[in-house]
Amino acid sequence: RDLVRSRGLGDVYKRQILYCAWHPKVETTLRCYQCNTPICVKCAQRTPVGYLCPECRNERKKRFESAKSTDYIIAAVVALVLGGIAGIIPMVGWYVLFLSPLAGTLIAEAVWRLVGRRYGQHLWWIVAAGIVIGGLPTLLPRLLGGFGNALGLIGVLWPVLHISLAVGAATARLRLR
């Protein structure tokens, strides 16, 4: 499409110069497979069948967005309450490595079911914030207690590790939906 065959000695192809629709000074050879708009490498999102431009990518996301505003409130409350309950996990020591990802997965699953299995692009952010805020009551007293010795630092490490693992598991679970 972009190549024009010239007549003359041999098969010589001349390339038509295209410019990105979002960055007019950037030359490109890529096109959106859906709308055929020229796009540069910065704008293109690779998919299994070709590249998408930012407009088509946003339209695709909106098509799958089905969450209601109440779903975000439900997600916040559930994640906050369950994140607070899961905040006791750091009290059991090294079991945090196994129990925190499980807790994050269970929180994500509870939210997913309570919002009627509707997808929201920002739902995982709300759940992550709820888990972090719910886990703060176990972390703050340890932070305020200071780091007088190595045990003080380890006492802070477990809640931080718990929050990180739980948030990671929950967001991975919700973003894969």
Side-chain angles (χ1 to χ4, degrees), residues 2 5 14 18 21 24 42 46 58 73 93 95 100 103 105 108 113 126-127 131 140 144 148 152 163 170:
D2 297 335
R5 188 177 228 170
K14 293 183 181 178
L18 300 173
K42 291 178 187 176
R46 188 174 182 177
N58 289 337
I73 296 168
Y95 287 111
S100 295
T105 302
R113 289 174 190 249
I126 303 294
V127 172
I131 293 171
L140 287 179
L144 296 174
I163 291 171

Side-chain angles (χ1 to χ4, degrees), residues 12 22 34 53-54 81 83 87 89 95 97-98 102 106 112 161 176:
V12 178
W22 287 266
Q34 198 164 357
C53 69
V81 170
I89 291 174
Y95 287 111
L97 298 172
F98 305 106
L102 177 64
L106 292 175
W112 180 248
L161 187 62
L176 290 176

Side-chain angles (χ1 to χ4, degrees), residues 11-172:
D11 290 336
V12 178
Y13 290 92
K14 293 183 181 178
R15 192 181 72 146
Q16 178 184 1
I17 298 175
L18 300 173
Y19 294 92
C20 176
W22 287 266
H23 302 102
K25 295 181 181 179
V26 178
E27 287 187 29
T28 185
T29 57
L30 297 176
R31 287 185 179 265
C32 174
Y33 80 89
Q34 198 164 357
C35 67
N36 210 26
T37 303
I39 48 177
C40 67
V41 177
K42 291 178 187 176
C43 296
Q45 179 186 9
R46 188 174 182 177
T47 67
V49 294
Y51 294 98
L52 275 178
C53 69
E55 260 182 40
C56 292
R57 182 174 60 231
N58 289 337
E59 285 177 23
R60 180 175 279 187
K61 282 182 183 178
K62 286 178 188 174
R63 207 175 324 151
F64 292 108
E65 183 82 24
S66 61
K68 300 175 184 174
S69 58
T70 56
D71 293 342
Y72 292 105
I73 296 168
I74 292 169
V77 170
V78 170
L80 188 61
V81 170
L82 294 180
I85 293 170
I88 62 170
I89 291 174
M91 306 296 183
V92 295
W94 64 273
Y95 287 111
V96 77
L97 298 172
F98 305 106
L99 296 178
S100 295
L102 177 64
T105 302
L106 292 175
I107 292 169
E109 197 62 33
V111 167
W112 180 248
R113 289 174 190 249
L114 287 172
V115 299
R117 294 186 169 112
R118 287 185 289 272
Y119 173 76
Q121 184 178 353
H122 303 294
L123 194 65
W124 66 274
W125 280 102
I126 303 294
V127 172
I131 293 171
V132 169
I133 294 169
L136 284 179
T138 57
L139 178 62
L140 287 179
R142 294 175 184 198
L143 282 174
L144 296 174
F147 304 106
N149 55 19
L151 291 177
L153 183 60
I154 291 173
V156 171
L157 176 68
W158 291 122
V160 169
L161 187 62
H162 159 69
I163 291 171
S164 302
L165 291 173
V167 166
T171 56

